[in-house]
Amino acid sequence: MTARVREHLTSYAMLLPALVLFGVFLFAPLVSAVVTSFTSDSGVGAPEWVGLGNYRRMLDDDAFWRASFNTVLLAGVSVPLALGLGLGIAMLLQGEVRGRALFRSIVLAPVVISGVVVAMAGRFIFDENVGVVNTALGWVGLGPVSWQSGGGPAMLVVLLMLTWSRVGLAAIIYLGALQNVDDNLHEAAALDGAGWWHRLRHVTVPQIQPTTFFLTVILVIETFQVFDLVWVMTGGGPGRATELLVTYAYAEGFEARQLGYGTALGVVVFVVILAATVLWWRAQRDAEESL
């Protein structure tokens, strides 16, 4: 046996435990989910093969399109907000700010706590009867807002809490990226008469563009995976006003006991996430090749 063969066998032997774990806990369930998505399975009795029936059903399912619209809307609004606020906070944390420790704790708290805790905090703050916000509105003579029973306010609450839960992550990553921005470029731009806004726009933002793209893809993927925040705060209601693809898949699969259709919805979410990941990977590869 040659040294190269022994080296390859050693490498594969070291990879084998990880490959077994991936196969058992990732690839096998994924294959099983794809197969289930082509069946009509209620969890009782043998499933019936329906082929593309579940996917054709989505085309005429108003609830599916409403959940898709809500998910895309949430991603389109929360991701830019999280990026903008995260960058602003990172720039503040980079300097000396009064109350910096307390401010940092408030911003970074959602990064280290679970989504359920964030959702419970949101319910406490925006409760229609005893919530902090409605109580404060009453103090200034304004009427209460239907944060749970109104479709628009409920979506606004989900948007605010989701954005808050992500700002800390964006700030941490941006803070690391800002450390690599060349100060000489800022000094040169200042000598040329560029103000703070122009230095931010033409020096800082282009320098951290790879980080921004990375964060955008990660946050979009996370939006398509949001479940606990919405489920605890609104349950997808009222009237599917805050229903997302993941919460709809859960409701169909485990509450309506339509496992085949619920799994098909999950497969659609997986395909969207996979497409976003491939897009990010190809963009990163092209950027590295152009250097």
Side-chain angles (χ1 to χ4, degrees):
M1 185 179 297
T2 64
R4 174 167 295 186
V5 172
R6 289 197 302 270
E7 182 180 348
H8 284 307
L9 290 177
T10 302
S11 301
Y12 289 133
M14 296 179 69
L15 287 173
L16 184 60
L19 292 176
V20 171
L21 290 175
F22 272 104
V24 172
F25 295 104
L26 180 63
F27 294 112
L30 179 60
V31 172
S32 176
V34 173
V35 173
T36 304
S37 71
F38 293 108
T39 66
S40 177
D41 187 1
S42 63
V44 179
E48 178 185 354
W49 184 264
V50 295
L52 296 175
N54 288 325
Y55 295 95
R56 286 194 293 266
R57 174 182 169 184
M58 292 181 198
L59 299 178
D60 299 323
D61 187 356
D62 293 336
F64 165 73
W65 291 112
R66 179 61 184 270
S68 300
F69 173 78
N70 289 341
T71 305
V72 173
L73 175 64
L74 203 60
V77 178
S78 68
V79 172
L81 279 176
L83 292 177
L85 292 174
L87 178 58
I89 292 170
M91 296 175 67
L92 288 175
L93 294 177
Q94 197 177 21
E96 293 296 332
V97 182
R98 179 176 298 180
R100 178 180 177 183
L102 177 61
F103 179 67
R104 181 166 50 190
S105 300
I106 295 174
V107 172
L108 301 183
V111 179
V112 296
I113 61 179
S114 69
V116 174
V117 177
V118 175
M120 293 300 294
R123 291 189 62 175
F124 171 73
I125 295 171
F126 292 98
D127 187 272
E128 293 184 11
N129 299 315
V130 295
V132 175
V133 174
N134 276 358
T135 301
L137 291 176
W139 288 344
V140 296
L142 299 177
V145 179
S146 55
W147 298 113
Q148 283 82 42
S149 59
M155 177 57 80
L156 178 60
V157 169
V158 171
L159 172 64
L160 292 175
M161 298 307 297
L162 181 62
T163 302
W164 177 55
S165 68
R166 292 168 164 188
V167 166
L169 175 64
I172 291 174
I173 296 179
Y174 269 136
L175 187 59
L178 290 174
Q179 308 301 319
N180 297 321
V181 176
D182 192 353
D183 290 335
N184 293 326
L185 297 177
H186 279 283
E187 294 176 0
L191 290 174
D192 288 338
W196 174 84
W197 171 252
H198 287 88
R199 293 199 304 271
L200 172 65
R201 180 180 177 184
H202 298 290
V203 177
T204 303
V205 172
Q207 290 285 309
I208 62 174
Q209 184 174 356
T211 301
T212 300
F213 184 76
F214 167 77
L215 276 172
T216 300
V217 175
I218 293 299
L219 295 180
V220 168
I221 290 175
E222 286 187 354
T223 302
F224 278 84
Q225 295 177 320
V226 170
F227 173 78
D228 47 6
L229 184 69
V230 175
W231 196 256
V232 172
M233 291 185 63
T234 66
R240 300 193 184 279
T242 60
E243 191 83 90
L244 303 182
L245 283 172
V246 176
T247 60
Y248 184 50
Y250 177 86
E252 288 294 306
F254 294 98
E255 292 188 337
R257 300 194 65 80
Q258 300 186 39
L259 298 181
Y261 188 57
T263 305
L265 293 167
V267 170
V268 170
V269 175
F270 169 76
V271 171
V272 172
I273 293 175
L274 180 63
T277 304
V278 171
L279 175 65
W280 173 77
W281 177 78
R282 292 188 61 179
Q284 286 291 100
R285 185 191 60 183
D286 294 340
E288 292 176 357
E289 292 177 352
S290 63
L291 294 177

